Amino acid sequence: MSLPTRLPTPLPGPVPTPAPTGSPTRLSAFMRVRALRRAAGVGMVTAIFLLVALAGLAVAMVSLMTTQQSSAALDEQGARAYQAARAGLEWALWVRLQGASAAPPIALACPGTYNFDLPPNNTLSAFSVTVVCTAAQGVGQRIQIQSTACAPAAAGSVCPNPAPGADYVQRQLQAEL
């Protein structure tokens, strides 16, 4: 193996400055402090970024939980509204089919509309029911009964509510005799 005859030419660029005079220990301590200060600035920016990112995640989680809870509450109210509408339909069917034999006799006039609130102190007490009886088209004396339950109801326990709010629920059932 032979040694190169020419020395490599230096790359173009800034000319290195000579090292400052002083003890090498003092110089390396100064460089370490300077590097630590530079790293502390980067650490501060990283910490602020992480805090902002975690705060954004926390806000998103709270928003998601709130939406999920309100959706679950409306779903439960929807199931209650269905049961209230079914109670109104069963009342109308009972009155129509058994009312004449009841003591005192009860009659369901067709066509007719009946509005009532469900009994207090139970899970359906917030609901109002509107039962509408109409003569059905076709052969014979067929009738159609439509039961609508809603909460909150309009004034006078009328369903459907013409000005529903955000928490309004309504269910409607029909039967034909």
Side-chain angles (χ1 to χ4, degrees), residues 11-175:
L11 295 173
V15 177
T17 57
T21 59
S23 89
T25 318
R26 191 173 217 190
L27 181 63
S28 64
F30 173 75
M31 296 292 274
R32 272 191 242 131
V33 168
R34 192 168 180 197
L36 286 175
R37 283 188 183 159
R38 210 176 297 138
V42 170
M44 182 67 75
V45 169
T46 304
I48 290 173
F49 173 75
L50 286 175
L51 285 174
V52 168
L54 289 175
L57 282 173
V59 167
M61 286 177 54
V62 167
S63 174
L64 183 65
M65 283 179 43
T66 303
T67 302
Q68 191 272 338
Q69 284 179 349
S70 91
S71 175
L74 279 176
D75 186 43
E76 183 177 345
Q77 284 294 88
R80 288 179 179 166
Y82 170 80
Q83 293 300 326
R86 184 172 174 176
L89 185 64
E90 288 178 2
W91 170 83
L93 290 172
W94 182 84
V95 169
R96 185 66 181 184
L97 298 174
Q98 302 292 327
S101 63
I106 305 170
L108 184 68
C110 275
T113 301
Y114 303 89
N115 297 316
F116 56 90
D117 292 324
L118 293 174
N121 300 325
N122 65 44
T123 58
L124 300 179
S125 61
F127 290 91
S128 296
V129 179
T130 298
V131 176
V132 178
C133 182
T134 56
Q137 300 295 327
V139 181
Q141 295 182 347
R142 295 184 339 182
I143 63 166
Q144 185 176 29
I145 300 171
Q146 179 180 351
S147 175
T148 305
C150 66
S157 302
V158 177
C159 289
N161 190 341
D167 59 346
Y168 178 77
V169 291
Q170 171 187 320
R171 295 295 182 269
Q172 189 174 56
L173 296 175
Q174 292 181 352

